[in-house]
Amino acid sequence: DQQVKQNSPSLSVQEGRISILNCDYTNSMFDYFLWYKKYPAEGPTFLISISSIKDKNEDGRFTVFLNKSAKHLSLHIVPSQPGDSAVYFCAAMVRGGSNYKLTFGKGTLLTVNP
Amino acid sequence: EAQVTQNPRYLITVTGKKLTVTCSQNMNHEYMSWYRQDPGLGLRQIYYSMNVEVTDKGDVPEGYKVSRKEKRNFPLILESPSPNQTSLYFCASGGLNSPLHFGNGTRLTVT
């Protein structure tokens, strides 16, 4: 049973436009959500996170939105740059437990075209 | 520089030959974990450790062992590797208020 789903395996956008990556989850116990970016031959790199008590978190060009009632979150990148081309993983966790386990989606490959 | 270091980056071995993948972190994190990444399955947790001498199973622990004798090191041990353990492995570390930091991965092929 996949608890975190990224239904779009890939996304292609033009440089300067907005990239929107989506993620859905099924486990209502998740209370902390993260986005990681991964380049080939490197490990995932933390990008931005959001707690379940918030509905928006912004960091420069990156904004994450959380809709708890819909169990949906999205990552907005504005403006998109060619260097943003990477695989983006959505991840979720239950804070306060004995395991800081991240449950990952399968990832979305973002390609930003010059 | 804060980092998680895994070695080796690439490893090709044969079925049944014991191997160890090392992982070291320099951030004084108490928590460390191993994940494997497979096509179509994303990243799945193998084992984790909350502190020295404290380890526990993740979602896919079969065929793996770990140890945590020192805070900075968390090796992954495959006593008798099999072809279904061919995968990309990531070590990660973190703290209570710190997102997980990942190493650059170890690509293992078992023939």
Side-chain angles (χ1 to χ4, degrees):
Chain A
D1 176 35
Q2 199 180 346
Q3 298 187 61
V4 177
K5 298 178 184 178
Q6 294 177 255
N7 292 319
S8 298
S10 63
L11 174 68
S12 182
V13 300
Q14 284 299 120
E15 181 178 6
R17 306 293 286 267
I18 184 171
S19 295
I20 300 176
L21 295 95
N22 293 303
C23 178
D24 297 294
Y25 63 96
T26 57
N27 188 344
S28 58
M29 297 297 291
F30 289 142
D31 58 3
Y32 192 59
F33 304 89
L34 308 91
W35 284 93
Y36 280 80
K37 179 168 75 172
K38 184 181 180 306
Y39 293 118
E42 294 183 10
T45 302
F46 170 72
L47 195 56
I48 192 169
S49 63
I50 187 167
S51 165
S52 61
I53 62 173
K54 294 185 174 182
D55 55 16
K56 177 182 175 181
N57 188 28
E58 197 170 350
D59 184 1
R61 296 186 296 115
F62 303 91
T63 303
V64 56
F65 296 92
L66 175 63
N67 182 334
K68 277 183 61 178
S69 61
K71 293 191 176 67
H72 177 83
L73 63 153
S74 61
L75 174 68
H76 292 211
I77 306 173
V78 183
S80 302
Q81 300 173 353
D84 295 329
S85 297
V87 177
Y88 288 78
F89 290 99
C90 171
M93 68 181 291
V94 178
R95 281 181 133 174
S98 62
N99 182 6
Y100 302 154
K101 184 180 88 169
L102 293 178
T103 300
F104 284 89
K106 294 181 181 179
T108 297
L109 173 62
L110 173 66
T111 303
V112 180
N113 301 302
Chain B
E1 180 189 352
Q3 57 185 349
V4 177
T5 303
Q6 296 178 227
N7 281 296
R9 292 293 308 274
Y10 301 91
L11 180 57
I12 302 174
T13 190
V14 296
T15 299
K17 186 176 181 181
K18 180 180 178 180
L19 67 91
T20 300
V21 183
T22 64
C23 174
S24 178
Q25 51 99 359
N26 63 0
M27 294 166 280
N28 202 36
H29 286 152
E30 292 183 345
Y31 178 86
M32 297 185 75
S33 184
W34 277 100
Y35 287 79
R36 60 179 287 174
Q37 183 185 7
D38 301 289
L41 296 175
L43 288 100
R44 295 176 293 166
Q45 189 187 53
I46 303 170
Y47 265 95
Y48 68 95
S49 169
M50 289 297 291
N51 213 326
V52 175
E53 302 293 359
V54 180
T55 64
D56 209 344
K57 297 176 181 178
D59 295 324
V60 288
E62 295 78 19
Y64 304 95
K65 285 175 56 177
V66 292
S67 71
R68 189 88 182 275
K69 295 185 172 61
E70 307 164 280
K71 197 171 188 178
R72 62 182 292 122
N73 295 322
F74 190 45
L76 179 69
I77 303 155
L78 285 72
E79 295 269 3
S80 182
S82 62
N84 66 11
Q85 292 179 297
T86 293
S87 187
L88 180 56
Y89 292 87
F90 291 102
C91 179
S93 75
L96 181 60
N97 295 307
S98 170
L100 286 188
H101 295 256
F102 285 83
N104 281 332
T106 296
R107 185 167 292 282
L108 172 65
T109 302
V110 183
T111 61

